[in-house]
Amino acid sequence: MGNKVSKRIGIVGALFLGFVLLLAIVGPLLIPYDANEQVGIPFSPPSSEHWLGTNDMGQDIMAELAEGARVSLIIGIVAALFATVIGTTLGVVSGYMGGWFDNLCMRLVDITLTLPFLPLMIVIAVYLGPSMYTMIFVITLVMWAGKARQIRAQTLSIRNRGPVLAARTMGASHAYILRKHVFPSLFPIVI
Protein backbone atom coordinates (compact mmCIF):
# COMPACT_ATOMS: atom_id res chain seq x y z
CA MET A 1 0.00 0.00 0.00
CA GLY A 2 2.71 2.47 0.97
CA ASN A 3 4.72 1.60 -2.15
CA LYS A 4 1.78 2.52 -4.42
CA VAL A 5 1.32 5.87 -2.69
CA SER A 6 5.00 6.75 -2.93
CA LYS A 7 5.00 5.71 -6.59
CA ARG A 8 2.03 8.01 -7.30
CA ILE A 9 3.70 10.85 -5.45
CA GLY A 10 6.84 10.26 -7.51
CA ILE A 11 4.86 10.35 -10.75
CA VAL A 12 3.09 13.57 -9.75
CA GLY A 13 6.44 15.12 -8.78
CA ALA A 14 8.02 14.06 -12.08
CA LEU A 15 5.09 15.50 -14.04
CA PHE A 16 5.28 18.77 -12.11
CA LEU A 17 9.05 19.00 -12.66
CA GLY A 18 8.53 18.27 -16.36
CA PHE A 19 5.95 21.06 -16.55
CA VAL A 20 8.30 23.53 -14.84
CA LEU A 21 11.18 22.53 -17.15
CA LEU A 22 8.96 22.88 -20.20
CA LEU A 23 7.69 26.25 -18.99
CA ALA A 24 11.24 27.47 -18.32
CA ILE A 25 12.60 26.33 -21.68
CA VAL A 26 9.71 26.89 -24.08
CA GLY A 27 7.69 29.48 -22.13
CA PRO A 28 9.61 32.60 -23.17
CA LEU A 29 9.25 31.55 -26.82
CA LEU A 30 5.50 30.94 -26.63
CA ILE A 31 4.39 33.77 -24.34
CA PRO A 32 4.27 37.01 -26.35
CA TYR A 33 4.69 39.29 -23.32
CA ASP A 34 7.73 40.47 -21.40
CA ALA A 35 7.59 39.69 -17.70
CA ASN A 36 8.75 43.21 -16.78
CA GLU A 37 6.35 45.26 -18.92
CA GLN A 38 2.81 46.41 -18.23
CA VAL A 39 0.71 44.65 -20.86
CA GLY A 40 -2.80 44.83 -19.48
CA ILE A 41 -5.14 46.29 -16.92
CA PRO A 42 -4.02 45.58 -13.32
CA PHE A 43 -5.75 42.60 -11.66
CA SER A 44 -7.29 41.34 -14.92
CA PRO A 45 -8.80 37.87 -14.53
CA PRO A 46 -7.59 34.96 -16.65
CA SER A 47 -8.58 35.30 -20.29
CA SER A 48 -7.58 34.09 -23.73
CA GLU A 49 -5.09 36.99 -23.92
CA HIS A 50 -3.60 36.52 -20.42
CA TRP A 51 -4.02 32.87 -19.41
CA LEU A 52 -3.33 33.47 -15.71
CA GLY A 53 -4.42 37.12 -15.68
CA THR A 54 -2.31 40.10 -14.69
CA ASN A 55 -0.84 41.26 -11.40
CA ASP A 56 -1.26 44.57 -9.57
CA MET A 57 1.02 46.33 -12.08
CA GLY A 58 -0.63 44.90 -15.19
CA GLN A 59 2.18 42.42 -15.93
CA ASP A 60 1.27 39.03 -17.40
CA ILE A 61 1.46 36.41 -14.65
CA MET A 62 2.22 33.56 -17.08
CA ALA A 63 5.22 35.51 -18.44
CA GLU A 64 6.41 36.14 -14.89
CA LEU A 65 6.00 32.45 -14.04
CA ALA A 66 8.05 31.39 -17.09
CA GLU A 67 10.80 33.91 -16.32
CA GLY A 68 10.87 32.91 -12.64
CA ALA A 69 11.08 29.21 -13.50
CA ARG A 70 13.99 29.83 -15.86
CA VAL A 71 15.94 31.93 -13.35
CA SER A 72 15.25 29.50 -10.49
CA LEU A 73 16.39 26.50 -12.53
CA ILE A 74 19.56 28.27 -13.67
CA ILE A 75 20.45 29.25 -10.11
CA GLY A 76 19.67 25.79 -8.74
CA ILE A 77 21.50 23.81 -11.41
CA VAL A 78 24.61 26.03 -11.52
CA ALA A 79 24.88 26.21 -7.72
CA ALA A 80 24.47 22.43 -7.44
CA LEU A 81 27.16 21.83 -10.08
CA PHE A 82 29.61 24.22 -8.40
CA ALA A 83 28.91 22.74 -4.95
CA THR A 84 29.36 19.21 -6.30
CA VAL A 85 32.67 20.03 -7.99
CA ILE A 86 34.05 21.82 -4.92
CA GLY A 87 32.75 19.23 -2.43
CA THR A 88 33.94 16.27 -4.51
CA THR A 89 37.40 17.72 -5.08
CA LEU A 90 37.94 18.62 -1.44
CA GLY A 91 36.42 15.37 -0.18
CA VAL A 92 38.56 13.17 -2.44
CA VAL A 93 41.81 15.02 -1.75
CA SER A 94 41.12 15.22 1.98
CA GLY A 95 40.12 11.56 2.33
CA TYR A 96 42.91 10.25 0.15
CA MET A 97 45.73 12.33 1.65
CA GLY A 98 44.66 12.13 5.30
CA GLY A 99 46.84 13.64 8.03
CA TRP A 100 46.96 17.34 8.81
CA PHE A 101 45.36 18.31 5.48
CA ASP A 102 42.36 16.10 6.24
CA ASN A 103 42.01 17.62 9.72
CA LEU A 104 42.21 21.15 8.31
CA CYS A 105 39.61 20.42 5.62
CA MET A 106 37.21 18.80 8.05
CA ARG A 107 37.43 21.75 10.46
CA LEU A 108 36.60 24.03 7.50
CA VAL A 109 33.64 21.77 6.69
CA ASP A 110 32.48 21.87 10.33
CA ILE A 111 32.62 25.67 10.37
CA THR A 112 30.74 25.91 7.08
CA LEU A 113 28.02 23.52 8.26
CA THR A 114 27.39 25.64 11.37
CA LEU A 115 26.76 28.83 9.39
CA PRO A 116 23.10 29.86 9.41
CA PHE A 117 21.95 29.91 5.81
CA LEU A 118 19.31 32.68 5.75
CA PRO A 119 21.20 35.35 7.77
CA LEU A 120 24.34 34.60 5.76
CA MET A 121 22.43 35.04 2.50
CA ILE A 122 20.96 38.34 3.67
CA VAL A 123 24.32 39.75 4.80
CA ILE A 124 26.13 38.71 1.60
CA ALA A 125 23.26 39.95 -0.60
CA VAL A 126 23.40 43.35 1.12
CA TYR A 127 27.17 43.49 0.77
CA LEU A 128 27.43 42.20 -2.84
CA GLY A 129 24.06 43.39 -4.06
CA PRO A 130 21.12 41.23 -5.03
CA SER A 131 21.79 39.34 -8.24
CA MET A 132 21.72 35.87 -9.73
CA TYR A 133 25.49 35.55 -9.21
CA THR A 134 25.15 36.42 -5.53
CA MET A 135 22.50 33.72 -5.08
CA ILE A 136 24.66 31.13 -6.85
CA PHE A 137 27.65 32.13 -4.70
CA VAL A 138 25.76 31.90 -1.40
CA ILE A 139 24.04 28.60 -2.21
CA THR A 140 27.35 27.09 -3.35
CA LEU A 141 29.04 28.42 -0.20
CA VAL A 142 26.56 26.54 1.98
CA MET A 143 26.03 23.35 -0.08
CA TRP A 144 29.58 22.14 -0.77
CA ALA A 145 30.39 21.17 2.81
CA GLY A 146 27.88 18.33 3.13
CA LYS A 147 29.02 16.86 -0.17
CA ALA A 148 32.67 17.09 0.88
CA ARG A 149 31.94 15.19 4.10
CA GLN A 150 30.09 12.39 2.27
CA ILE A 151 32.74 12.01 -0.43
CA ARG A 152 35.54 12.06 2.17
CA ALA A 153 33.90 9.27 4.17
CA GLN A 154 33.58 7.10 1.08
CA THR A 155 37.15 7.90 0.01
CA LEU A 156 38.47 6.83 3.43
CA SER A 157 36.70 3.51 2.97
CA ILE A 158 37.98 3.01 -0.58
CA ARG A 159 41.61 3.90 0.13
CA ASN A 160 41.93 0.98 2.58
CA ARG A 161 40.40 -1.68 0.30
CA GLY A 162 42.35 -4.48 -1.35
CA PRO A 163 42.70 -3.14 -4.92
CA VAL A 164 43.99 0.24 -3.73
CA LEU A 165 46.42 -1.35 -1.28
CA ALA A 166 47.62 -3.78 -3.98
CA ALA A 167 48.15 -0.95 -6.48
CA ARG A 168 50.02 1.08 -3.88
CA THR A 169 52.20 -1.94 -3.01
CA MET A 170 53.09 -2.42 -6.69
CA GLY A 171 54.25 1.20 -6.87
CA ALA A 172 51.31 2.76 -8.72
CA SER A 173 51.20 6.55 -8.72
CA HIS A 174 48.56 8.47 -6.81
CA ALA A 175 47.07 9.70 -10.09
CA TYR A 176 46.72 6.11 -11.33
CA ILE A 177 45.10 4.95 -8.09
CA LEU A 178 42.67 7.87 -8.10
CA ARG A 179 41.80 7.39 -11.79
CA LYS A 180 41.44 3.58 -11.76
CA HIS A 181 40.17 2.78 -8.27
CA VAL A 182 38.89 5.79 -6.32
CA PHE A 183 36.95 7.82 -8.92
CA PRO A 184 35.04 4.85 -10.39
CA SER A 185 33.89 3.85 -6.92
CA LEU A 186 32.83 7.41 -6.07
CA PHE A 187 31.03 8.11 -9.35
CA PRO A 188 27.57 6.84 -8.25
CA ILE A 189 27.72 8.94 -5.06
CA VAL A 190 28.78 12.06 -6.95
CA ILE A 191 25.94 11.64 -9.43
Side-chain angles (χ1 to χ4, degrees), residues 33-42 50 55-60:
Y33 306 110
D34 185 7
N36 299 318
E37 291 182 13
Q38 181 179 358
V39 294
I41 299 169
H50 303 289
N55 64 9
D56 61 334
M57 297 176 60
Q59 299 164 326
D60 186 70

Side-chain angles (χ1 to χ4, degrees), residues 30-104:
L30 298 178
I31 301 170
Y33 306 110
D34 185 7
N36 299 318
E37 291 182 13
Q38 181 179 358
V39 294
I41 299 169
F43 295 116
S44 293
S47 65
S48 61
E49 192 174 331
H50 303 289
W51 289 2
L52 296 177
T54 59
N55 64 9
D56 61 334
M57 297 176 60
Q59 299 164 326
D60 186 70
I61 294 176
M62 187 72 152
E64 288 183 321
L65 189 62
E67 178 70 18
R70 188 177 60 76
V71 170
S72 295
L73 285 172
I74 288 171
I75 289 172
I77 290 170
V78 171
L81 286 174
F82 283 164
T84 300
V85 167
I86 293 168
T88 299
T89 303
L90 197 62
V92 167
V93 172
S94 173
Y96 187 75
M97 287 181 62
W100 67 270
F101 184 75
D102 182 36
N103 288 331
L104 179 69

Side-chain angles (χ1 to χ4, degrees), residues 101-173:
F101 184 75
D102 182 36
N103 288 331
L104 179 69
C105 289
M106 287 304 102
R107 293 310 70 80
L108 182 63
V109 166
D110 291 342
I111 290 168
T112 304
L113 289 173
T114 61
L115 294 174
F117 179 67
L118 187 59
L120 176 68
M121 187 183 308
I122 292 170
V123 168
I124 292 176
V126 167
Y127 182 71
L128 296 177
S131 72
M132 191 163 52
Y133 302 111
T134 302
M135 293 298 295
I136 291 170
F137 174 72
V138 172
I139 293 170
T140 302
L141 184 68
V142 174
M143 282 179 55
W144 71 268
K147 295 175 186 341
R149 179 169 278 172
Q150 290 173 339
I151 297 294
R152 173 195 173 259
Q154 191 65 27
T155 303
L156 287 172
S157 170
I158 293 168
R159 83 172 188 187
N160 294 322
R161 289 187 187 159
V164 174
L165 294 175
R168 195 176 294 151
T169 302
M170 291 188 295
S173 67

Side-chain angles (χ1 to χ4, degrees), residues 1-10:
M1 176 99 176
N3 192 18
K4 287 183 179 182
V5 172
S6 64
K7 191 173 186 178
R8 287 182 186 156
I9 291 172

